[in-house]
Amino acid sequence: MHLSEQKISIPASPGHRNMLAHIQKAFDFRVDQGTIPVRFVITGMDEAHYQCEFGLLGGLDVPRAKEPESIFRFIRRTVERTDAFNAVFLVPTGIGAEIGGHAGDATPAARVLAEVCDRVITHPNVVNASDLNEMPENALYVEGSTITRLMMGTAALQPIRSNRVLVIMDAHEIEMFANDTVNAVNAARATYGLNCPKIVQLDPPLQMTAEFMKSGRAAGEVNGLERVLAVIDENQDGFDAVAIASVIDLDEEIHEQYFQQDGEMNNPWGGVEAMLTHAVSMLYEVPAAHSPMLENHKVANLDFGLVEPRLAAEAVSLTFVQCMLKGLHRSPRIVSDADVMREVGMLSSADISCLVIPDSCIGLPTLAALEQGIPVIAVRENDNLMQNDLHTLPWASNQLHVVENYLEAAGVITALKAGITLSSLRRPLASTKIENRKFQTQRTRQEKSIKEIKI
């Protein structure tokens, strides 16, 4: 079983309308049957083409595991519930985001946005900071593919009190690194009461390799996924969430360059991690997260000195697992049964009040928001590698709000929550448009008829 990334150029749909169905049809035409997309992004677009990159799963044993539904399946919401204001906050993994592209450095933005929302639904890339996770108390921590399904209307979230977290880790050739990971799990059990029913060591270990696409996005390859799935199958009734710790192969020179370039280099590990967790969460409908293990003593002993602040959490961490354990501890249950999704307490697409993204980002959550009529707040200051102009999409009136920074995004959320039209807060206040619409009365129609007869 194999996970890899592939670039595909797809002709643009007329007026960029019905993009979800259009891209799915084009994908099915270009990719071999049996290859399943687990991740999708448009890295660049113009009037003629979409430059797309897909994370692809090949070699799935369909008789053994039920084939998952397409990531492009879309169910339009029929209502918007307004009893609470729930924001989805995304910083896509592997795109070199100025804020949130390193080690949990979008956490301050998440905490600010959480103050003006009832709930913030976010993902590991935003708040995972190696041994730290300071996500807001009103945050729901879910894997990226789950957020996609939530926005697409095919899954709902059920907040819970705690999860039983199954930990799967490499049987590391250096015993000290394996022991450090077990110690980190035990620290979580002893401090905030993590329920970890079992730690399973994979031997031989999972094979993960980090790579960069031509667009600059971080991606990679995963081999040996069937061993992870076998462990999950064997423990089906004994866990609620899955934490995976494994080595990610990366050239040591690139490893050093990442810490020496003052945050200018795209984080190379996150992309392949997202590919893995997307696949696991999609196949089993459970919360999942991944953390990298140190490769060897040489890497562990590298002295980077004082690093750029956004990299500091990674520079001081030993195991990197504590952030995902804390997140998975209370990650919500994923619900896809249509009847259960309507139960009280479920959070579905009808409950999403807005989506906050870095400017230029177009993936399934953005396209789902477009189709669902969900307001989108795009932040210019969070510069990234994507080359898209969001204004070219066929938004409804006042659906897209492009702001300079996350402080301004919080203001937009406050206005949306209050039901205040944003233009009413700016000056000069535009004049109200007055349209003179003339209608023919019965008398004028009769007069016109008489005139026509006289002629």
Side-chain angles (χ1 to χ4, degrees), residues 80-87 117-119 347 350-353 417:
E80 177 191 355
R81 286 190 279 270
T82 57
D83 54 324
F85 196 97
N86 305 302
C117 300
D118 293 290
R119 279 200 182 98
L347 195 75
D351 298 289
I352 304 305
S353 307
K417 186 177 180 181

Side-chain angles (χ1 to χ4, degrees), residues 9-84:
S9 181
I10 294 176
S13 62
H16 303 306
R17 299 188 181 279
N18 302 314
M19 288 177 65
L20 288 171
H22 175 80
I23 292 171
Q24 179 179 16
K25 185 177 180 180
F27 173 86
D28 292 342
F29 179 75
R30 287 165 172 76
V31 178
D32 294 339
Q33 189 174 5
T35 300
I36 299 170
V38 299
R39 200 162 177 246
F40 157 78
V41 65
I42 297 177
T43 60
M45 63 180 289
D46 53 34
E47 291 302 313
H49 290 90
Y50 306 134
Q51 303 304 325
C52 304
E53 292 177 2
F54 291 86
L56 302 176
L57 172 62
L60 179 66
D61 186 357
V62 176
R64 182 191 59 80
K66 181 182 177 182
E67 184 171 328
E69 66 182 12
S70 170
I71 62 173
F72 291 103
R73 181 169 175 250
F74 175 76
I75 299 176
R76 191 179 304 279
R77 66 180 188 176
T78 56
V79 297
E80 177 191 355
R81 286 190 279 270
T82 57
D83 54 324

Side-chain angles (χ1 to χ4, degrees), residues 177 250-260 269 294-307 314-317:
F177 294 157
L250 181 70
D251 188 285
E252 290 180 5
E253 184 178 346
I254 295 177
H255 194 135
E256 291 188 59
Q257 287 176 359
Y258 175 69
F259 284 96
Q260 293 170 347
W269 297 279
L294 289 171
E295 298 98 306
N296 51 53
H297 285 297
K298 180 180 178 180
V299 171
N301 292 328
L302 289 173
D303 182 6
F304 301 113
L306 296 177
V307 301
E314 290 177 292
V316 301
S317 181

Side-chain angles (χ1 to χ4, degrees), residues 172-189:
H172 206 295
E173 60 183 13
I174 301 175
E175 186 178 9
M176 183 184 78
F177 294 157
N179 290 341
D180 288 338
T181 298
V182 175
N183 286 336
V185 174
N186 283 332
R189 294 176 57 229

Side-chain angles (χ1 to χ4, degrees), residues 233-295:
D233 286 338
E234 292 164 4
N235 294 274
Q236 275 283 17
D237 298 323
F239 70 92
D240 307 299
V242 180
I244 304 172
S246 66
V247 171
I248 298 176
D249 292 329
L250 181 70
D251 188 285
E252 290 180 5
E253 184 178 346
I254 295 177
H255 194 135
E256 291 188 59
Q257 287 176 359
Y258 175 69
F259 284 96
Q260 293 170 347
Q261 293 188 10
D262 292 332
E264 295 301 317
M265 182 177 176
N266 190 7
N267 184 313
W269 297 279
V272 71
E273 291 183 286
M275 293 166 65
L276 173 65
T277 57
H278 274 52
V280 170
S281 188
M282 188 175 73
L283 291 171
Y284 290 94
E285 295 193 339
V286 294
H290 179 274
S291 68
M293 300 177 77
L294 289 171
E295 298 98 306

Side-chain angles (χ1 to χ4, degrees), residues 259-430:
F259 284 96
Q260 293 170 347
Q261 293 188 10
D262 292 332
E264 295 301 317
M265 182 177 176
N266 190 7
N267 184 313
W269 297 279
V272 71
E273 291 183 286
M275 293 166 65
L276 173 65
T277 57
H278 274 52
V280 170
S281 188
M282 188 175 73
L283 291 171
Y284 290 94
E285 295 193 339
V286 294
H290 179 274
S291 68
M293 300 177 77
L294 289 171
E295 298 98 306
N296 51 53
H297 285 297
K298 180 180 178 180
V299 171
N301 292 328
L302 289 173
D303 182 6
F304 301 113
L306 296 177
V307 301
E308 208 269 2
R310 292 173 297 171
L311 313 181
E314 290 177 292
V316 301
S317 181
L318 180 65
T319 66
F320 311 100
V321 302
Q322 201 53 248
C323 58
M324 70 165 176
L325 294 178
K326 187 173 180 181
L328 292 175
H329 178 52
R330 301 190 67 177
S331 186
R333 178 188 173 200
I334 304 168
V335 177
S336 58
D337 183 284
D339 292 329
V340 180
M341 286 172 63
R342 290 191 286 268
E343 294 287 339
V344 175
M346 297 295 170
L347 195 75
S348 71
S349 59
D351 298 289
I352 304 305
S353 307
C354 73
L355 169 67
V356 183
I357 56 173
D359 193 17
S360 304
C361 290
I362 300 180
L364 288 176
T366 305
L367 297 181
L370 175 67
E371 297 292 335
Q372 299 282 26
I374 295 171
V376 171
I377 303 171
V379 180
R380 284 198 189 100
E381 192 173 86
N382 201 354
D383 194 26
N384 57 84
L385 295 168
M386 301 298 94
Q387 302 293 315
N388 301 302
D389 183 357
L390 292 176
H391 291 94
T392 62
L393 300 184
W395 304 99
S397 177
N398 293 318
Q399 187 182 2
L400 175 65
H401 307 281
V402 179
V403 300
E404 289 301 322
N405 50 56
Y406 286 109
L407 295 173
E408 190 176 340
V412 173
I413 288 176
T414 302
L416 293 174
K417 186 177 180 181
I420 295 173
T421 302
L422 296 182
S423 61
S424 69
L425 299 170
R426 307 300 297 270
R427 293 297 182 271
L429 191 61

